[in-house]
Amino acid sequence: MNFRTILSTAVFIGLSLLAGAIGSIFTFDQIPTWYAGLIKPSWTPPSFVFGPVWTTLYVLMGSAAALVWNSKKFGRVFPTWLFIAHLIVNALWSIVFFGLHEVGLALYIILTLAVVIMVMMVIFARYSKLAAWLLLPYLLWVLYASTLNAGIFFLNL
């Protein structure tokens, strides 16, 4: 691996972790207060699970974007911008769910995020099959998180 590859990988992982950090600004204070008071589905994991899972997913998604960027194939700009736009949607979910307590709107956002991830997987596969596969755990987690969001929405009407 050359310096350019290492640097771009670090940048994409860093951007992903930054999106997570932005979301966490709106999350941490709400977990022991507002979130603790919600009725949650029976399949909700303990709160301590979310941090390690999301950190792993941010590293995987950043690595996937780096593989696309480093593929040297023509047209890498669109998937890169799609990746950045998806990070905004990702952070927006935390802002809306935890920051604004808009569980219903957050459900629309997380379902939109799942669709964007699927589109990214298709587009990323054109540049790197591995990049698309690295997004699969992320997609599965977001689909699972969507069921949690929906459960919380309906249980707390």
Side-chain angles (χ1 to χ4, degrees):
M1 231 189 307
N2 62 33
F3 178 74
R4 181 182 170 276
T5 302
I6 293 168
L7 179 62
S8 62
T9 302
V11 167
F12 282 108
I13 291 173
L15 285 172
S16 300
L17 292 169
L18 177 61
I22 291 168
S24 71
I25 291 168
F26 296 88
T27 304
F28 283 132
D29 291 344
Q30 298 302 313
I31 291 173
T33 57
W34 173 76
Y35 183 74
L38 293 172
I39 302 167
K40 292 176 246 351
S42 60
W43 60 90
T44 303
S47 293
F48 70 83
V49 169
F50 291 93
V53 168
W54 274 111
T55 300
T56 302
L57 295 174
Y58 286 125
V59 170
L60 291 174
M61 70 179 82
S63 299
L67 285 168
V68 170
W69 182 257
N70 291 318
S71 72
K72 299 185 185 337
K73 291 186 179 178
F74 180 76
R76 299 173 301 163
V77 173
F78 175 73
T80 302
W81 280 110
L82 178 62
F83 177 76
I84 291 167
H86 125 273
L87 288 176
I88 293 167
V89 176
N90 177 297
L92 184 62
W93 181 86
S94 295
I95 294 166
V96 171
F97 186 91
F98 287 103
L100 300 177
H101 304 169
E102 291 289 342
V103 178
L105 179 57
L107 181 56
Y108 286 109
I109 292 169
I110 200 166
L111 292 172
T112 300
L113 180 60
V115 170
V116 172
I117 295 166
M118 288 184 243
V119 170
M120 271 191 349
M121 289 176 73
V122 170
I123 292 171
F124 278 25
R126 296 176 187 164
Y127 297 85
S128 165
K129 300 288 187 223
L130 178 57
W133 283 108
L134 287 175
L135 294 177
L136 183 60
Y138 178 35
L139 174 62
L140 295 174
W141 181 262
V142 166
L143 291 171
Y144 169 67
S146 297
T147 69
L148 295 173
N149 191 150
I152 290 169
F153 176 74
F154 288 112
L155 291 170
N156 293 277
L157 284 176

